[in-house]
Amino acid sequence: MNKNFKIVHETPSRLRYKYLLLKEDFIDENILKSYLENIDGVSSVRINKKAYSVVFNIVEDIKENIEDVLRKLTLDDLLSTDCVDNAVCVNCVSSEKPSLSGVARASGALIAERFINNNLAKATITTTAAIPMLMEGTKELFTEGLTSKVLESAAVGISVYRRDYLAANSTNAMLELGEYIEETTVHKSDDLLKELSKPNVKEAWVEKTDENGKKVEVLVETENIEVGDIVVVAAGSTIPVDGHIVHGDASVNQVSMTGEAEPIKKQRGDRVISGTVLEEGRLKIWAEHVGANTATQRIKHYIESSLNEKSSVQLKATRLADKLVPVTLGLAGISYLFTKDFERVASILQADYSCALKLATPVAFKSTISKAGHDGIMIKGAKSIEALSNVDTFIFDKTGTLTKGDLEVIEVASYDEEWTEEELLNLTASTEEHYFHPVAEAVVKAAKQRGFVHMHHEEVEFIVAHGVKTEVEGKLVVIGSRHFLEDDEQIDFSKHKDRINKSLDEGKTLLYIGFNGKLLGTIALADQIRSNSKESIEKLRQLGVNHIVMLTGDVEKKAQMVAKELGVDEVYSELLPTDKASIVKKMIDEGRNVAFVGDGINDAPALISANVGISMSKGADIAKATADVSLLKDDIDAVVQAKELSNKTMNLINTNFKATVGINSAILGGATLGAFSPIVTAVLHNGTTIGLLLNSIRGVKK
């Protein structure tokens, strides 16, 4: 058995495998399905992601070929494939620009026919110009049944049969012009999406150790970079990985990923994401996410998923358009029975709903996904937009959403008169600066803000889940938890018990510093509420959200203080991680449409349970993978932007929908009563379609 798959069942025409690649967080079964269906000899593929199952229906014995593909296929291959026949792949969106040849051909015939008196010559020119459309209509009739293309071709064919060459050429020219504008509109929409799916950085410099133990920089292909590698990036280069800075200061332009126009200063300990550009400076980055797990690849995956997904309103529009084709055809038939007027029939056949109904809706969704993506908001498809527009309840996991998620030093307390607060902070920072622990990073950051002066110390010993040890001037320094200092190192806390308990009652997180066997002092840290959290909650209410909930593991007293400050409606405190999903389900059972906003590994069940899951930028990978909306910028206002975009998009789609049905019904009625000639009907119908498409591609205002 291969480590990537095992065969579960086989017959001459069917193979079933357990495929472990389906366990990957970022894989999309639709993309995998389309990829596997391209194998020669495979008639169809069925995938069950939850069961890690792939079923192949085959027309010949190709078991060996299939297993060879399954053996070699990786997530990177799947997301970077050219997939020419794969309808859900960004790379497959045609890069070929729409052609004006059809418009030129039809317009040329329209003009030439006006200057020719010979009927045979007129018929020849008109028929030649109309043949491509007539052939397409005939082909579509046999392959897809009655469609708008069939009706349009019939209208042109009837005009040619009646020798009404002006009507035939005018109609043909208008249809070709309309089709060109439709193709241009969709092409521009897809270009916006493709722009977000940036090409990968092909090569990068990685720090290696040579045979002599010296550090050297080696140019490697980015696909060969591994987690834990030190990637070196110089000014002007694109960062190829997601990770932490271990050395250097730089100015990083993140506009392509987060929408922030101004370059951001980055230094040791800061996070950086792939796809951003280093403008000044030089950085060494510890690679945390590589290959298909980087931010740029996740964006690409989101886009590929969105292209494959249809919302209920989109499906409704498609079904309605299909149902109305026979109605149009039926009216044309009834009209001919009563009037025997082929001109009226040709006019009726042009008043079709399909183009505007089927094209305007997906273009509006694509436009919104693109605009949101440029602002660092990744929306996973049309369904997510529609669901978010219906949300009336927002549930926030407090830490990392309503709060910054980063500890900050709020107080330094020295218990020894010989040590100032600055000296105590410098001692702690000098010892802690070697580690990426959130507490250590907060202490070092605070020391730098106050003018950090490094204090010489001996080698630092890190004790997992306890703290650190070192020596300064021959005296032992211990920094960490109370348990570490009081129980393990036997440091007396009794003299400062009341002061410590007061800080703890106020909800502060304390870091304890011991020096030469005595408690030297404490550093209080807290996760600060975001400056715009309250404002964002108020904006959500203005967008139709009537219930705001906060979840936290904090004690009841502290939770109520935060809830009161922010103005939330309901708060759940002292929660276990497993409680979050049950609260989400409870509110859904009450009839609420719920959006859950979180960022932790333990938030994944709640993100899945909610009608819409939104993951914050610093969230765990599993949170981002299960979310419907993933934020690339660390700003709670992005949640508001996502909700606002969704509301406006659905309003735009509903407006287009009503306009399409109303205007085209009026045109159809006029054509049926003989009020409009085929030329007038073509102008009105195509003009409406073009207007609605342009309205959709313009999209909503941010």
Side-chain angles (χ1 to χ4, degrees), residues 361-372:
T361 299
V363 166
F365 279 127
K366 285 182 181 182
S367 178
T368 293
I369 291 168
S370 173
K371 285 183 178 181

Side-chain angles (χ1 to χ4, degrees), residues 649-664:
T649 301
M650 295 312 299
N651 288 337
L652 172 64
I653 287 170
N654 289 331
T655 299
N656 282 350
F657 191 88
K658 291 174 182 177
T660 298
V661 174
I663 295 173
N664 279 284

Side-chain angles (χ1 to χ4, degrees), residues 226-461:
E226 298 179 353
V227 173
D229 280 348
I230 304 299
V231 180
V232 183
V233 184
S237 299
T238 300
I239 296 173
V241 297
D242 299 346
H244 286 89
I245 298 171
V246 294
H247 183 270
D249 298 295
S251 176
V252 178
N253 189 326
Q254 302 186 139
V255 66
S256 61
M257 300 296 286
T258 66
E260 296 167 292
E262 295 296 322
I264 306 298
K265 185 179 179 182
K266 297 284 187 178
Q267 57 189 11
R268 187 183 184 281
D270 289 340
R271 281 173 170 263
V272 290
I273 54 179
S274 62
T276 57
V277 178
L278 198 152
E279 291 193 345
E280 295 179 2
R282 190 170 186 270
L283 297 177
K284 290 184 179 181
I285 303 163
W286 184 82
E288 183 179 14
H289 298 302
V290 300
N293 290 331
T294 61
T296 48
Q297 285 299 307
R298 287 200 299 270
I299 290 172
K300 187 173 183 179
H301 171 71
Y302 265 62
I303 295 169
E304 287 169 340
S305 298
S306 73
L307 287 176
N308 186 60
E309 188 180 64
K310 288 186 178 181
S311 70
S312 62
V313 71
Q314 195 169 335
L315 292 170
K316 175 185 174 184
T318 301
R319 285 196 295 266
L320 179 61
D322 290 339
K323 287 179 180 178
L324 290 175
V325 170
V327 172
T328 304
L329 187 64
L331 282 173
I334 293 170
S335 175
Y336 180 74
L337 287 175
F338 283 97
T339 66
K340 305 299 181 182
D341 184 354
F342 265 125
E343 181 178 1
R344 186 177 297 192
V345 171
S347 183
I348 292 171
L349 290 176
Q350 298 205 48
D352 177 57
Y353 298 83
S354 294
C355 293
L357 282 175
K358 288 184 176 181
L359 287 173
T361 299
V363 166
F365 279 127
K366 285 182 181 182
S367 178
T368 293
I369 291 168
S370 173
K371 285 183 178 181
H374 281 297
D375 275 349
I377 303 168
M378 304 313 302
I379 303 177
K380 196 182 289 183
K383 286 182 181 178
S384 299
I385 293 175
E386 187 176 7
L388 186 54
S389 72
N390 293 325
V391 165
D392 54 35
T393 300
F394 265 80
I395 300 178
F396 291 91
D397 179 44
K398 189 200 78 170
T399 303
T401 56
L402 297 172
T403 65
K404 295 178 180 178
D406 292 325
L407 291 173
E408 291 185 8
V409 173
I410 57 173
E411 181 183 66
V412 180
S414 173
Y415 300 162
D416 190 322
E417 293 180 357
E418 296 182 5
W419 286 78
T420 65
E421 291 181 2
E422 285 71 21
E423 289 173 335
L424 179 64
L425 185 60
N426 287 336
L427 172 66
T428 309
S430 299
T431 307
E432 294 275 14
E433 69 175 342
H434 303 279
Y435 301 99
F436 286 121
H437 189 278
V439 172
E441 291 180 345
V443 170
V444 172
K445 181 181 178 181
K448 288 181 177 179
Q449 290 172 345
R450 299 190 189 190
F452 180 37
V453 178
H454 187 274
M455 299 179 67
H456 177 73
H457 58 79
E458 303 302 322
E459 184 177 349
V460 178
E461 180 186 0

Side-chain angles (χ1 to χ4, degrees), residues 9 22 37 75 78 88 213 280 299 357 375 598 612 640 644 652 655 666 688:
H9 183 262
L22 285 167
E37 284 179 341
L75 188 59
L78 199 60
V88 300
E280 295 179 2
I299 290 172
L357 282 175
D375 275 349
V612 179
V640 180
E644 186 175 17
L652 172 64
T655 299
T688 301

